[in-house]
Amino acid sequence: MEYRNLRVALLGGGSVGAQVARLLLEQGPELANRVGATLELVGIAVRDVNAERTVDLPRKLFTTNAEELILGADIVIELMGGIEPARSHILLAINSGADVVTANKALLALHGPELFAAANQVGAQINYEAAVAGAIPIVRPLRESLAGDQVKRILGIVNGTTNFILDRMDTEGSSLEDALAEATALGYAEADPTADIGGYDAAQKAAILASLAFHTTVPLASVYREGIESITPAQIESARKAGYVVKLLAICERVSDENGVLGVSARVYPAMVPRSHPLAAVHGANNAVFVEAESAGSLMFYGAGAGGVETASAVLGDVVSIARRHVAGGPGVAASSYAALPVFDIGRVTTRYAVTLEVTDEPGVLATIASVFSKRKVSLALVEQSMTPAVMATKSRAARSATATLVIGTHDATEAALAATVQDLATNSVVSEVASVLRVEGA
């Protein structure tokens, strides 16, 4: 069968780009049968055409002239990463009549509205399945499969590096430093892991997911972010004893504040997740996105969140979808931000805390601590007290009265009230140290 020809330009020849090029070349006939058109890879724009590649590809495909390549393409795949020149290249592609596939989470989180507006103006399509969770299909289910439903909440493990580190700390008792070194040796962590362990990567993905799920533009600056830099083996062990595991979560939810105003929250932080929750079973460098919808109920999408060939699978899925639209005709699917809900700061969000305190071991301490919580209208769900082994072994009354450990779990309260409570505790005379503060999610 003879098909029409669609010219595909690839920007970026790194680990993902090289695998995309390989699959386009090797699976060309099968892809043509699926699409109803031939997908011709016309070139790969790179900085250095002589650089070593992870895949053996025809030398003639490589060029440093990205602009010329874009102007001759029907579909442009952007896998360069970074903000510029990726942003300019995508705008050039859209304005020249091409559709775009990208895996650039940073660019979409910062400039998504601008890019989608440009595409909507000319009826072009931007697909970005690989930008959020690697090979895991989550963008298309949110945009299409759940289009007739109302998404209430998303809990996502969307960064493989941090999940690997926290999993090693939980299952093997590793320190954060040792687990990070192992992640680096295995290729899960970059030489500079700040974007991962600092939660920046997950925050970018949270902005994309929240914007998509709630039909509202959620700027990256509005996403609250905490990383895992301060997580200790003691916190991991304490969570384990209580029946929890610590995960770095991207949380996007539709919420109402104390005045009944409906809005959106997007936040990233390490949290304690019950071991009975499906996300607790996500090990190694895998990702998972847990979606709670009004009618569909609870859904989980699980799999590889990174990797060259795995991510290439998601990119090719987007390419096939766009190519089919070219064959069928009609404008691209417009980005939806009709709801325009306010984006709440974290202080207006309701959550739960698990607080570990080192306190003086003397009569009346529990009552004093309880009064601090009561002052902020935070209700206690659990209070456990234990002596440290060193203190328990000491026979001196003065030594015995030196310190004890309190583990306090709260009921739901606003983040502002909980944060203020922790600040009050830190300055209270009976508190020697606020040893740990972790939020509790998924319970």
Side-chain angles (χ1 to χ4, degrees), residues 4 65 74 92 205 220-221 247 266 348 350 370 408 428 430 435:
R4 63 175 288 191
N65 193 334
D74 301 298
L92 177 63
K205 295 170 180 177
L220 179 59
K247 297 289 187 182
R348 298 165 75 181
T350 298
I408 301 172
N428 194 285
V430 305

Side-chain angles (χ1 to χ4, degrees), residues 366-420:
L366 285 176
T368 300
I369 296 299
S371 69
V372 174
F373 283 86
S374 178
K375 173 187 172 184
R376 297 293 182 179
K377 296 182 173 57
V378 177
S379 175
L380 303 185
L382 170 72
V383 179
E384 292 183 353
Q385 180 176 356
S386 64
M387 301 289 288
T388 63
V391 172
M392 289 290 286
T394 304
K395 295 183 178 180
S396 162
R397 175 173 294 185
R400 283 202 309 271
S401 66
T403 184
T405 300
L406 282 181
V407 179
I408 301 172
T410 75
H411 286 296
D412 288 343
T414 64
E415 177 78 22
L418 289 163

Side-chain angles (χ1 to χ4, degrees), residues 182-200:
E182 184 180 358
T184 303
L186 291 171
Y188 295 141
E190 301 290 341
D192 179 1
T194 303
D196 294 324
I197 66 173
Y200 296 94

Side-chain angles (χ1 to χ4, degrees), residues 107-117 120 128 203-223 252-254 262-266 334-345:
L107 179 61
L108 291 174
L110 285 170
H111 296 285
E114 175 193 11
L115 300 177
F116 293 130
N120 292 347
Y128 52 96
Q204 292 166 356
K205 295 170 180 177
I208 295 169
L209 283 172
S211 299
L212 180 62
F214 305 126
H215 308 282
T216 293
T217 298
V218 178
L220 179 59
S222 298
V223 179
C252 313
E253 62 181 335
R254 190 189 303 266
L262 182 63
V264 170
S265 167
S336 173
S337 58
Y338 72 88
L341 296 171
V343 182
F344 290 164
D345 64 70

